[in-house]
Amino acid sequence: MDKWLNHPTIAKLVALALGILMWAVVHFDPEDSSPNNVASLYDTKVIEGVTVQPYGLDERNFVLNGMEPLKVNLTVRGTKSDLRVAQTKDYRIRVDLRTVGEGQHTLPLEENLPKGITSVLVSPSTVVVSIEALQTKEFEVAIQTKGNPAKGYKVGTPIVKPGNRVHVTLPKSQLAEADSVGATIEIDGEKETIKSKSVKLAVYDKQGKPIEGAIIDPAVLEVEVPITNPFKTVPLQFKMVGRVQSGLGVASFKPDVEQVTVYGPQDALDKIEFIEVEIPLGDVRNSGKISVPLKVTPPLIEISPAAIDIQIEVLLSTTRKLEGLPIELRGLGEGLIVNILDPATGKADITIQGAPQTLDRLKPGDVDVIVDLSGRGPGVYTLPLVVSLERFMEQVGGTNSITVEIIDEAALETSTEGEEPLGEGVSEGGNPPPESGETQEPAV
């Protein structure tokens, strides 16, 4: 026994048992088991300003416009230890919106409390919610640019992809105030086209202020902002080069465009009134479409489109003779008169070739025959006639030139002093006196 009692482990166990016994004696109180002392383990607590959390609203069709109150006071009961451990965020007050529609509703509150804690009082115990229906409307997107491109460059109309129309969803009252949907892109100092720029859209009222909370579908679009050199839209002027194959005539001529856009320095654009297009008639063999490239002459940078298509109808040609066309004398100097020596009639006969339907609609008054006397002094001259014809017609015979005598009117008056009145040799206006029974128009 002595050996057993002197063993170290046995001594430690005996000491532990004595210690536990002494603790129990000291802390044991027969009165602690009474009902009053058990109740003293519980307490109540007031949680102020607990946020009311709505849930269950059909957000595709309704919006919560208001709720009163937003926070409530909560009185709870639980053990002191449970109350001490629980945090304010663990106390949740909710309101169920699953069954409500548009309008104002008074709803009871639901409690979600920490384990071991019960509710004593929620003040107030109900909330008033205001629900408004959502509506959707389609808008066209308007993209604005801010700033200016680099000097000499121009900004074009922004291009929206995949489309420029979106749907906006808002409460009825707010949707009535919505005026536009768009975004703004910064272009200050840019020299190149801005491509595939993603922009977030916003809804604006008539005063240009954004409307918050709008649902936009799609909310983000890609935008391209053309930034180019200065440009100008000018008409095309067609010039026929060469002749169609012998025996053929052009009956109709229709280009696919009448105007083109020209790009280049502004000072060069200011001087351009039209773009000349040469049509190589020698390449035309039959009816059909031909493509003609447009020549870009520096300092121009680009012409758009770069080529045009022309639909040409070609028919077998024929001829038509027009007789007695008056000859218009232009450019005669002051103090001079003119006398037509050849042709003696003072009129021109010409033969014209072209497509039948073109010649059929031609009238004598549609053809001008002109001779230029500019810079000519007194003397006899044989000069070419300029015959003004419609497009796709050409003169193939008849009068090609005219012989005239230009006389100084003052010298003629001197030489005829004391002679018979003017009219026997040279008529006023420069033409020979008309023969008996024949009339002649003045040449000037």
Side-chain angles (χ1 to χ4, degrees), residues 37-355:
N37 289 332
V38 172
S40 67
L41 296 176
Y42 289 83
D43 199 357
T44 58
K45 184 178 181 180
V46 177
I47 314 298
E48 295 182 350
V50 180
T51 301
V52 179
Q53 301 174 358
Y55 74 94
L57 181 65
D58 181 6
E59 296 182 349
R60 293 173 300 178
N61 298 304
F62 301 99
V63 63
L64 177 61
N65 269 351
M67 182 171 64
E68 184 63 34
L70 297 176
K71 295 183 179 183
V72 296
N73 295 331
L74 176 63
T75 303
V76 295
R77 176 178 175 79
T79 65
K80 294 180 180 180
S81 60
D82 288 339
L83 293 175
R84 185 170 55 251
V85 172
Q87 299 181 21
T88 302
K89 66 179 182 179
D90 297 328
Y91 297 92
R92 298 177 182 176
I93 300 297
R94 305 199 303 168
V95 58
D96 187 358
L97 304 180
R98 287 177 296 180
T99 61
V100 297
E102 186 174 20
Q104 195 172 77
H105 309 273
T106 300
L107 302 174
L109 295 175
E110 300 175 358
E111 305 142 10
N112 189 351
L113 306 178
K115 185 178 180 180
I117 297 177
T118 59
S119 172
V120 176
L121 177 66
V122 179
S123 179
S125 60
T126 61
V127 293
V128 178
V129 295
S130 177
I131 308 295
E132 186 174 3
L134 293 174
Q135 289 187 344
T136 300
K137 182 179 178 181
E138 187 178 62
F139 285 83
E140 184 174 351
V141 176
I143 301 297
Q144 306 293 331
T145 57
K146 182 179 180 181
N148 297 304
K151 185 178 181 180
Y153 287 79
K154 289 187 176 182
V155 57
T157 302
I159 302 169
V160 182
K161 301 177 182 180
N164 67 336
R165 304 194 75 82
V166 297
H167 292 89
V168 175
T169 301
L170 278 169
K172 288 190 299 185
S173 58
Q174 288 183 288
L175 190 61
E177 300 175 359
D179 182 65
S180 63
V181 178
T184 301
I185 295 181
E186 177 68 50
I187 63 166
D188 204 37
E190 294 288 346
K191 295 183 179 180
E192 297 181 353
T193 296
I194 300 174
K195 297 181 178 181
S196 301
K197 175 74 172 180
S198 295
V199 295
K200 185 176 181 180
L201 303 177
V203 181
Y204 300 92
D205 61 17
K206 294 181 179 180
Q207 287 71 42
K209 297 179 180 179
I211 298 177
E212 302 295 337
I215 301 173
I216 307 173
D217 183 28
V220 178
L221 293 176
E222 284 193 359
V223 178
E224 178 177 315
V225 182
I227 296 178
T228 62
N229 282 289
F231 59 88
K232 181 179 183 181
T233 300
V234 295
L236 295 174
Q237 179 170 296
F238 298 95
K239 178 181 179 182
M240 307 303 149
V241 179
R243 300 173 59 184
V244 293
Q245 188 176 359
S246 178
L248 299 177
V250 177
S252 64
F253 168 92
K254 184 173 179 59
D256 61 345
V257 296
E258 298 285 351
Q259 295 181 322
V260 293
T261 302
V262 184
Y263 298 85
Q266 189 62 53
D267 56 348
L269 295 179
D270 292 340
K271 300 176 183 178
I272 295 177
E273 298 298 330
F274 59 86
I275 293 295
E276 186 176 81
V277 183
E278 294 185 351
I279 309 301
L281 294 181
D283 297 339
V284 177
R285 296 289 184 270
N286 46 45
S287 299
K289 183 182 293 184
I290 63 172
S291 182
V292 180
L294 303 181
K295 296 180 181 179
V296 180
T297 305
L300 297 182
I301 297 174
E302 180 185 355
I303 299 178
S304 180
I308 62 170
D309 291 332
I310 302 173
Q311 187 71 37
I312 296 182
E313 181 184 7
V314 178
L315 301 175
L316 292 175
S317 64
T318 185
T319 59
R320 179 178 175 185
K321 188 173 183 179
L322 299 178
E323 298 180 337
L325 298 177
I327 300 174
E328 182 181 353
L329 305 175
R330 293 182 179 178
L332 182 65
E334 187 177 353
L336 300 175
I337 58 175
V338 63
N339 180 25
I340 299 177
L341 303 179
D342 183 41
T345 61
K347 298 182 182 294
D349 301 329
I350 63 172
T351 302
I352 303 172
Q353 179 177 290

